[in-house]
Structures are given as structure tokens and as C-alpha cells.
Amino acid sequence: MSPPHATPRELRRLHDEASRNRESFYLDPETGLAVFTEFGLRQRGSCCWSGCRHCPYEAERADTVEGGPAVEPPRWLTPLRPPPEPVDVLFWSGGKDSFLGYRALVREGARPVVLLTTFDAASRTIAHQELRVDSVIRQAEHLHAPLLGVPLHPGLAYEARIAEAVASIPAIARFVFGDLHLEHIREWRTGAFRELAESRSASLHFPIWQVPYEALMADLEASGIVCEVSAVTDAALGALVPGQRFDREVMSRLPNGVDRFGENGEFHTLAKVWEVVDLP
């Protein structure tokens, strides 16, 4: 049976109801995917340039692609470059999930890893993580991994910017994501990147998908790194503050309704990999 067709009026009703209840997203009845509400987007404080359906920042942006500042092209942010043989391209946000995905790839030892990060071209910050791109460059340099930076501009589709960026990588075996358990996020990635992956004879890979939190925390502890809270939304205010260390004790004290790894966007982290000389 085909999913019900959602009219613009129905979508607006769902959005307004969710916003009145101070909910960050609602489920699209046609696709089943989560859609950020204006309320949820306001909580992050700035635009992520991903073309969100209910973006509250569009009318506030004075600059546009046409007639505005020049569009910054994707570029390598570290001196290292990918080898000619196939690599794994890991979508890298600088937080614990990205780092755990990297650890899983290193354990596989299948091929070299290239990091790819997107950031707001104007503020030089990574959406939702609230990290300056300089922090991610520092991570990549410590990991001795090539880092491909993708500046995001208003009016330019996210997927198109990714495709433009990875054209500079000679051969790709897999596009890799550090998703943990949110089905709608995985479904979105599959839909957004399937065609690109097929065009590069690559596959999509989710190395830490549905790995239990206990195992993930044990892996973080084994790495020896410190993870620091970088951003907190209303859902976790009072339980976490930016700059606080995220560890097993903090995870165990999170209130009901807050995902222990912040998978619903309650909080984000910075993996301070440069503090460990030899990462296992």
C-alpha cells in the first residue's frame, strides 16, 4: 500500500502542532522521515545550510549565492591527500560518534580512511556540533588522515556539494557514517547518497549501527581520549553544560527522556584526540 499523500495544509498542521508542544521534529506521513520544526531549528541558533523544510533563517539572510559573496569550493584542509587505491570516506563531525566510527574502520584495517567534514562557509562552524572547523583540522592532523572540507552556502544543495567535493578523491570503496540507531537518519542517508555511491562504484557503510551503548562507551574508554560536551539543547539543559566532560558517570546521570548518547540531538561532543599521543 502506498503511503498517504500529505498536502501542504496537513504538513503545516503537523508542524504547528509539534511546535506548540516544543517538539524539535515531526514525522512526515508520506516518507516516514523526521522533519525539523521551526522551534527545533531555532534551538541551534543559526542556519545549517541543509535546506530544511521549515528553516526560520532564510528570510534573515541578506547574502545569496547569486550576486552575493563568491562560493567557496571544497578543498583539502590538511597536507595529506588520498592514495590512488580505493579509500573509505568517513563523514566526520568531530564528535564521539565520528570517532567511534573511525575506530571501527581502523580495527577493520581494510583500506585507508579519508575524513570529510561540512561546515557553514560564513561562520566556519560545523552544524549542530557548534565546533569551529579548526578543531576538526587539529583532529585530522593528529590522526594523520586527509581531511576534505565542504563549505555549505545558502541555495546550494547539500548532496550536490558532497558530490562536488568527492570528485577530488581518485577511488572510493565506501561512504561511511557514524549513525547509531535512528532509522529515519539512516534512511535519509541511504536515499541521499545511493546514487552518488553507485556512480563511484562504492557502497554505504554504517560500522557502529546498533552497537550497544555499553560497548561504545567501553571503546571510548579504551581509546584514552576525553570527549567534551560542545553543544546542548533545551532537552538536556541542567544536566549538561558546554565544556563538561562526557564519560560513563555523566551518561548514567542523564535524566529520563535524554538519550544517553544524545542521538536525538540533545547534546553534541568534541573528541579531543590530540591529547593522546598514540591512539590504539
Side-chain angles (χ1 to χ4, degrees):
M1 179 180 296
S2 300
H5 177 69
T7 65
R9 177 176 293 183
E10 173 65 8
L11 293 177
R12 173 52 60 180
R13 185 191 67 77
L14 291 171
H15 170 265
D16 292 348
E17 181 179 340
S19 292
R20 283 194 299 273
N21 293 332
R22 300 176 65 83
E23 296 173 352
S24 294
F25 64 89
Y26 65 92
L27 295 181
D28 186 305
E30 190 167 350
T31 65
L33 300 180
V35 179
F36 279 110
T37 62
E38 181 174 336
F39 168 79
L41 294 168
R42 283 286 184 195
Q43 300 313 297
R44 69 173 310 276
S46 60
C47 187
C48 64
W49 312 114
S50 299
C52 299
R53 179 183 294 172
H54 302 290
C55 178
Y57 304 102
E58 288 183 337
E60 302 171 5
R61 295 198 295 257
D63 58 330
T64 60
V65 174
E66 186 175 345
V71 174
E72 181 182 357
R75 62 186 178 91
W76 294 100
L77 300 179
T78 55
L80 290 175
R81 298 292 183 271
E85 63 265 22
V87 300
D88 285 335
V89 178
L90 172 62
F91 280 62
W92 182 267
S93 66
K96 59 186 179 343
D97 298 358
S98 295
F99 178 65
L100 288 166
Y102 175 81
R103 295 258 300 170
L105 293 180
V106 170
R107 283 193 294 271
E108 288 180 14
R111 58 189 60 86
V113 178
V114 170
L115 308 181
L116 183 151
T117 193
T118 60
F119 57 92
D120 174 8
S123 68
R124 321 303 288 179
T125 58
I126 297 166
H128 309 297
Q129 302 290 133
E130 304 306 327
L131 298 176
R132 296 282 298 176
V133 72
D134 294 350
S135 297
V136 172
I137 293 173
R138 189 178 183 187
Q139 291 173 324
E141 290 175 341
H142 188 78
L143 295 173
H144 306 292
L147 174 64
L148 183 56
V150 187
L152 300 179
H153 291 262
L156 296 180
Y158 176 84
E159 296 92 333
R161 291 295 275 170
I162 299 297
E164 178 185 357
V166 300
S168 62
I169 301 177
I172 300 173
R174 299 182 295 188
F175 291 98
V176 185
F177 307 94
D179 296 318
L180 300 184
H181 65 74
L182 296 181
E183 292 283 355
H184 66 275
I185 297 295
R186 178 164 177 163
E187 288 175 6
W188 176 81
R189 293 201 199 280
T190 300
F193 296 110
R194 179 189 290 113
E195 185 175 340
L196 174 61
E198 291 175 353
S199 72
R200 298 299 305 266
S201 299
S203 60
L204 306 181
H205 183 45
F206 300 81
I208 54 175
W209 180 252
Q210 295 187 338
V211 174
Y213 282 175
E214 174 60 33
L216 295 175
M217 179 55 72
D219 196 23
L220 272 181
E221 293 172 335
S223 75
I225 73 157
V226 169
C227 275
E228 187 177 274
V229 176
S230 61
V232 180
T233 63
D234 283 352
L237 282 177
L240 296 170
V241 295
Q244 177 181 358
R245 178 169 179 163
F246 175 75
D247 55 19
R248 184 183 295 273
E249 180 185 358
V250 168
M251 184 178 76
S252 68
R253 289 191 283 104
L254 290 174
N256 293 335
V258 175
D259 186 273
R260 291 186 299 157
F261 260 58
E263 281 302 281
N264 297 312
E266 299 97 333
F267 63 93
H268 301 278
T269 58
L270 167 66
K272 302 175 77 172
V273 300
W274 55 81
E275 293 184 351
V276 178
V277 177
D278 295 313
L279 282 170

Short mmCIF file of all heavy atoms in Angstrom, two decimals, residues 96-97 129 180-182 213 231 233 236 240 246 251 254 257-269:
data_model
loop_
_atom_site.label_atom_id
_atom_site.label_comp_id
_atom_site.label_asym_id
_atom_site.label_seq_id
_atom_site.Cartn_x
_atom_site.Cartn_y
_atom_site.Cartn_z
N LYS A 96 31.99 12.23 19.26
CA LYS A 96 32.26 10.86 19.70
C LYS A 96 31.81 9.81 18.68
O LYS A 96 32.51 8.81 18.48
CB LYS A 96 31.61 10.59 21.06
CG LYS A 96 30.11 10.78 21.06
CD LYS A 96 29.53 10.64 22.44
CE LYS A 96 28.04 10.83 22.48
NZ LYS A 96 27.36 11.46 21.36
N ASP A 97 30.66 10.04 18.02
CA ASP A 97 30.17 9.04 17.07
C ASP A 97 31.10 8.93 15.87
O ASP A 97 31.38 7.82 15.39
CB ASP A 97 28.76 9.39 16.61
CG ASP A 97 27.74 9.40 17.75
OD1 ASP A 97 28.13 9.09 18.89
OD2 ASP A 97 26.57 9.73 17.50
N GLN A 129 27.11 20.61 15.96
CA GLN A 129 28.22 20.36 16.90
C GLN A 129 28.70 21.64 17.55
O GLN A 129 29.29 21.61 18.63
CB GLN A 129 29.40 19.71 16.15
CG GLN A 129 29.08 18.42 15.45
CD GLN A 129 28.84 17.28 16.40
OE1 GLN A 129 27.87 16.54 16.26
NE2 GLN A 129 29.71 17.11 17.37
N LEU A 180 24.05 5.60 14.87
CA LEU A 180 23.93 4.57 15.89
C LEU A 180 22.64 3.77 15.82
O LEU A 180 22.66 2.55 15.74
CB LEU A 180 24.05 5.20 17.29
CG LEU A 180 25.36 5.94 17.58
CD1 LEU A 180 25.38 6.43 19.01
CD2 LEU A 180 26.56 5.05 17.31
N HIS A 181 21.47 4.45 15.84
CA HIS A 181 20.24 3.66 15.86
C HIS A 181 19.02 4.37 15.30
O HIS A 181 17.92 3.80 15.33
CB HIS A 181 19.94 3.19 17.29
CG HIS A 181 19.63 4.30 18.25
ND1 HIS A 181 18.44 5.00 18.25
CD2 HIS A 181 20.37 4.84 19.25
CE1 HIS A 181 18.47 5.90 19.20
NE2 HIS A 181 19.62 5.84 19.82
N LEU A 182 19.12 5.60 14.83
CA LEU A 182 17.95 6.31 14.33
C LEU A 182 17.65 5.89 12.90
O LEU A 182 18.36 6.24 11.96
CB LEU A 182 18.17 7.83 14.41
CG LEU A 182 18.35 8.40 15.82
CD1 LEU A 182 18.53 9.90 15.77
CD2 LEU A 182 17.17 8.03 16.72
N TYR A 213 25.20 0.78 23.70
CA TYR A 213 25.90 1.93 24.29
C TYR A 213 27.01 1.49 25.24
O TYR A 213 28.03 2.16 25.36
CB TYR A 213 24.90 2.82 25.02
CG TYR A 213 24.07 3.70 24.10
CD1 TYR A 213 23.05 4.49 24.61
CD2 TYR A 213 24.30 3.74 22.73
CE1 TYR A 213 22.28 5.30 23.78
CE2 TYR A 213 23.55 4.53 21.90
CZ TYR A 213 22.54 5.32 22.43
OH TYR A 213 21.80 6.12 21.60
N ALA A 231 27.84 21.26 22.64
CA ALA A 231 26.57 21.96 22.45
C ALA A 231 25.48 21.22 23.20
O ALA A 231 25.50 19.98 23.29
CB ALA A 231 26.22 22.05 20.96
N THR A 233 21.07 21.31 23.84
CA THR A 233 19.75 21.87 23.53
C THR A 233 18.91 21.90 24.81
O THR A 233 19.33 21.41 25.86
CB THR A 233 19.03 21.06 22.46
OG1 THR A 233 18.78 19.74 22.96
CG2 THR A 233 19.86 20.96 21.19
N ALA A 236 18.45 18.88 27.31
CA ALA A 236 19.49 18.44 28.24
C ALA A 236 20.01 19.56 29.12
O ALA A 236 20.96 19.36 29.89
CB ALA A 236 20.66 17.81 27.47
N LEU A 240 23.61 18.91 31.43
CA LEU A 240 24.92 19.06 30.78
C LEU A 240 25.16 20.53 30.48
O LEU A 240 24.21 21.30 30.27
CB LEU A 240 24.96 18.27 29.47
CG LEU A 240 24.83 16.75 29.55
CD1 LEU A 240 24.66 16.18 28.15
CD2 LEU A 240 26.05 16.13 30.22
N PHE A 246 32.24 14.37 28.94
CA PHE A 246 31.23 13.33 28.78
C PHE A 246 31.89 11.99 29.03
O PHE A 246 32.81 11.59 28.31
CB PHE A 246 30.63 13.37 27.37
CG PHE A 246 29.67 12.24 27.12
CD1 PHE A 246 28.40 12.26 27.67
CD2 PHE A 246 30.04 11.15 26.34
CE1 PHE A 246 27.51 11.23 27.44
CE2 PHE A 246 29.16 10.11 26.11
CZ PHE A 246 27.89 10.15 26.67
N MET A 251 26.97 9.95 31.68
CA MET A 251 25.97 9.23 30.90
C MET A 251 24.94 8.58 31.82
O MET A 251 23.74 8.59 31.53
CB MET A 251 26.65 8.18 30.02
CG MET A 251 25.69 7.43 29.10
SD MET A 251 26.51 6.22 28.02
CE MET A 251 26.84 4.90 29.20
N LEU A 254 22.13 11.07 33.25
CA LEU A 254 21.25 11.82 32.38
C LEU A 254 19.78 11.53 32.72
O LEU A 254 19.43 10.38 33.00
CB LEU A 254 21.52 11.47 30.91
CG LEU A 254 22.86 11.97 30.35
CD1 LEU A 254 23.07 11.43 28.94
CD2 LEU A 254 22.90 13.49 30.34
N GLY A 257 14.32 10.61 29.22
CA GLY A 257 13.95 11.41 28.05
C GLY A 257 15.13 11.95 27.30
O GLY A 257 14.97 12.45 26.17
N VAL A 258 16.32 11.90 27.89
CA VAL A 258 17.55 12.32 27.20
C VAL A 258 18.32 11.08 26.80
O VAL A 258 18.71 10.28 27.65
CB VAL A 258 18.42 13.23 28.09
CG1 VAL A 258 19.74 13.56 27.40
CG2 VAL A 258 17.67 14.51 28.44
N ASP A 259 18.52 10.89 25.51
CA ASP A 259 19.27 9.73 25.03
C ASP A 259 20.67 9.76 25.61
O ASP A 259 21.33 10.81 25.65
CB ASP A 259 19.34 9.75 23.50
CG ASP A 259 19.96 8.50 22.93
OD1 ASP A 259 21.21 8.47 22.81
OD2 ASP A 259 19.22 7.56 22.60
N ARG A 260 21.16 8.63 26.05
CA ARG A 260 22.45 8.58 26.75
C ARG A 260 23.63 8.96 25.86
O ARG A 260 24.70 9.30 26.35
CB ARG A 260 22.66 7.19 27.35
CG ARG A 260 21.71 6.89 28.50
CD ARG A 260 22.03 5.58 29.15
NE ARG A 260 21.91 4.48 28.20
CZ ARG A 260 22.53 3.31 28.31
NH1 ARG A 260 23.34 3.08 29.34
NH2 ARG A 260 22.34 2.37 27.42
N PHE A 261 23.44 8.88 24.54
CA PHE A 261 24.47 9.33 23.61
C PHE A 261 24.03 10.56 22.82
O PHE A 261 24.68 10.95 21.85
CB PHE A 261 24.86 8.19 22.65
CG PHE A 261 26.13 7.48 23.05
CD1 PHE A 261 26.25 6.87 24.28
CD2 PHE A 261 27.21 7.42 22.18
CE1 PHE A 261 27.41 6.20 24.64
CE2 PHE A 261 28.38 6.77 22.53
CZ PHE A 261 28.49 6.16 23.77
N GLY A 262 22.92 11.16 23.24
CA GLY A 262 22.46 12.38 22.59
C GLY A 262 22.00 12.19 21.16
O GLY A 262 22.06 13.12 20.36
N GLU A 263 21.49 10.99 20.85
CA GLU A 263 21.16 10.69 19.46
C GLU A 263 19.97 11.48 18.92
O GLU A 263 19.80 11.58 17.71
CB GLU A 263 20.89 9.18 19.30
CG GLU A 263 22.14 8.36 19.22
CD GLU A 263 23.02 8.80 18.07
OE1 GLU A 263 22.74 8.44 16.92
OE2 GLU A 263 23.99 9.54 18.32
N ASN A 264 19.15 12.02 19.81
CA ASN A 264 18.04 12.84 19.35
C ASN A 264 18.41 14.32 19.27
O ASN A 264 17.54 15.17 19.16
CB ASN A 264 16.83 12.66 20.29
CG ASN A 264 16.31 11.24 20.27
OD1 ASN A 264 16.09 10.66 19.20
ND2 ASN A 264 16.10 10.65 21.44
N GLY A 265 19.71 14.58 19.32
CA GLY A 265 20.19 15.95 19.21
C GLY A 265 20.23 16.70 20.52
O GLY A 265 20.46 17.92 20.54
N GLU A 266 20.05 16.01 21.66
CA GLU A 266 20.03 16.68 22.96
C GLU A 266 21.36 17.35 23.27
O GLU A 266 21.40 18.39 23.92
CB GLU A 266 19.69 15.69 24.08
CG GLU A 266 18.32 15.03 23.94
CD GLU A 266 18.42 13.65 23.29
OE1 GLU A 266 19.36 13.43 22.51
OE2 GLU A 266 17.55 12.82 23.57
N PHE A 267 22.46 16.72 22.84
CA PHE A 267 23.79 17.30 23.07
C PHE A 267 24.76 16.75 22.04
O PHE A 267 24.49 15.74 21.38
CB PHE A 267 24.29 17.01 24.49
CG PHE A 267 24.49 15.55 24.80
CD1 PHE A 267 25.73 14.94 24.61
CD2 PHE A 267 23.45 14.76 25.28
CE1 PHE A 267 25.92 13.60 24.90
CE2 PHE A 267 23.62 13.42 25.57
CZ PHE A 267 24.87 12.84 25.38
N HIS A 268 25.88 17.45 21.89
CA HIS A 268 26.92 17.04 20.96
C HIS A 268 28.27 17.16 21.65
O HIS A 268 28.39 17.83 22.70
CB HIS A 268 26.88 17.89 19.69
CG HIS A 268 25.58 17.81 18.96
ND1 HIS A 268 25.28 16.78 18.10
CD2 HIS A 268 24.48 18.61 18.99
CE1 HIS A 268 24.05 16.95 17.62
NE2 HIS A 268 23.55 18.05 18.15
N THR A 269 29.28 16.51 21.07
CA THR A 269 30.57 16.44 21.75
C THR A 269 31.74 16.74 20.81
O THR A 269 31.60 16.71 19.59
CB THR A 269 30.79 15.04 22.36
OG1 THR A 269 30.69 14.06 21.31
CG2 THR A 269 29.78 14.74 23.45
#
